[in-house]
Amino acid sequence: MDSDCSPHERFHDDMIFSDRGIPFHRRKPVVITYGLLILSYILILALFITVLSKFQAFGSQLEAQTSAITANIMMKLKSGVQTIGEKAETVQSDVKTDILQLKSQVADLSSKLAQLDTTPKKESCESPWVYYNDNCYFFSTMKSNWMKAKTMCEGKGASLAVITSEEEQKFIYGRTGDVRYWIGLSDLDVEGKWKWIDGTDYTTSYKFWKKGEPNDSMKNEDCAHIWNSGEWNDVHCTYDQCYAICEKKRS
């Protein structure tokens, strides 16, 4: 009951609390907390403003550097394009010159081809003559002595073969093998002074004598023929066991 509490005691209890009913010993920490929060907000705001200011300064510097780099790149690109253009003009001029030269060469070649078409073509060697290096060769199938072989070739509008190169020698040997064939070489006029039948200089011309030949064995070996391995040998001109090789220019 209220009668148990004295007015003095009620007055004492009211003095312990604030006007809002918060105890005095609890109100002091709350004030400190609010103060710290306000101070934190102020510090954060100041830090934000400082960072923003520095960021803006950096942004301005970055923008300036970017603008300088961009300008430099554009200048180089412009210079490069100009250089490429100049080179392109030079290349284009060179190409035009080459095309004109090519057209001239094609026209010249066409003219030469037209001339070839109107030039009568030479006929190949008639059978049984064999073609080699613009000459025709006849390989006889009848044996005779050197004089008869010479006459036989002349009757065909040719002469006994005159061998003037290693290539011709190989061609002939490819046809004769190791069989005796008369050729147009002799020393009938002067012993030891060999002459080709068409007047070719013997001293400076090609030779393919067998080792030790010509040796004028048994005397009077004045006419030459090809034999083993295509090598040349001298024998008497009346020897009648040789075939003959005739040669003439292709007509």
Side-chain angles (χ1 to χ4, degrees), residues 8-240:
H8 177 76
E9 291 175 348
R10 289 197 298 271
F11 176 79
H12 179 73
D13 291 336
D14 291 341
M15 292 299 292
I16 296 175
F17 295 91
S18 67
D19 294 339
R20 294 183 180 182
I22 300 175
F24 179 79
H25 69 278
R26 295 178 59 188
R27 185 174 59 181
K28 185 176 181 179
V30 171
V31 172
I32 293 173
T33 301
Y34 277 110
L36 292 174
L37 286 174
I38 293 171
L39 181 60
S40 298
Y41 283 133
I42 293 172
L43 292 174
I44 291 171
L45 180 60
L47 179 63
F48 176 76
I49 292 172
T50 301
V51 171
L52 180 61
S53 175
K54 290 184 178 180
F55 179 77
Q56 288 177 345
F58 175 76
S60 299
Q61 183 180 3
L62 181 61
E63 182 179 359
Q65 292 178 352
T66 303
S67 299
I69 293 172
T70 303
N72 188 32
I73 291 173
M74 293 301 295
M75 182 177 65
K76 290 183 177 180
L77 285 175
K78 183 178 180 180
S79 176
V81 169
Q82 183 177 1
T83 302
I84 291 173
E86 292 174 354
K87 290 184 177 180
E89 291 179 358
T90 302
V91 171
Q92 185 178 10
S93 177
D94 292 342
V95 170
K96 288 182 178 179
T97 301
D98 291 341
I99 291 175
L100 291 175
Q101 291 179 352
L102 182 60
K103 286 182 178 180
S104 176
Q105 292 175 357
V106 169
D108 184 58
L109 181 60
S110 299
S111 176
K112 290 181 179 179
L113 288 174
Q115 292 177 2
L116 289 176
D117 290 338
T118 59
T119 301
K121 297 180 180 179
K122 293 183 179 180
E123 297 180 358
S124 299
C125 301
E126 66 275 14
S127 181
W129 293 77
V130 180
Y131 172 81
Y132 173 76
N133 196 24
D134 208 34
N135 289 333
C136 295
Y137 295 81
F138 175 79
F139 298 85
S140 70
T141 57
M142 299 289 293
K143 295 178 181 179
S144 66
N145 61 39
W146 191 86
M147 297 301 298
K148 288 183 178 180
K150 175 178 175 294
T151 302
M152 181 269 296
C153 289
E154 290 172 349
K156 295 180 178 293
S159 65
L160 284 171
V162 176
I163 304 172
T164 58
S165 68
E166 182 179 359
E167 292 73 19
E168 186 179 14
Q169 169 68 38
K170 290 179 179 179
F171 160 74
I172 290 175
Y173 178 61
R175 290 280 177 173
T176 61
D178 294 332
V179 178
R180 297 173 187 260
Y181 278 82
W182 292 117
I183 58 177
L185 181 62
S186 70
D187 65 347
L188 284 168
D189 296 337
V190 178
E191 179 61 36
K193 189 175 182 179
W194 291 87
K195 292 182 180 180
W196 285 108
I197 201 168
D198 69 344
T200 297
D201 186 1
Y202 171 79
T203 59
T204 59
S205 63
Y206 174 79
K207 303 173 184 62
F208 196 59
W209 290 105
K210 184 178 179 180
K211 186 177 181 179
E213 302 294 342
N215 60 5
D216 197 28
S217 177
M218 300 177 65
K219 307 301 178 181
N220 296 324
E221 288 190 337
D222 298 327
C223 294
H225 66 94
I226 60 173
W227 193 13
N228 294 331
S229 301
E231 294 176 318
W232 306 349
N233 178 53
D234 62 336
V235 70
H236 54 87
C237 299
T238 57
Y239 183 75
D240 60 2

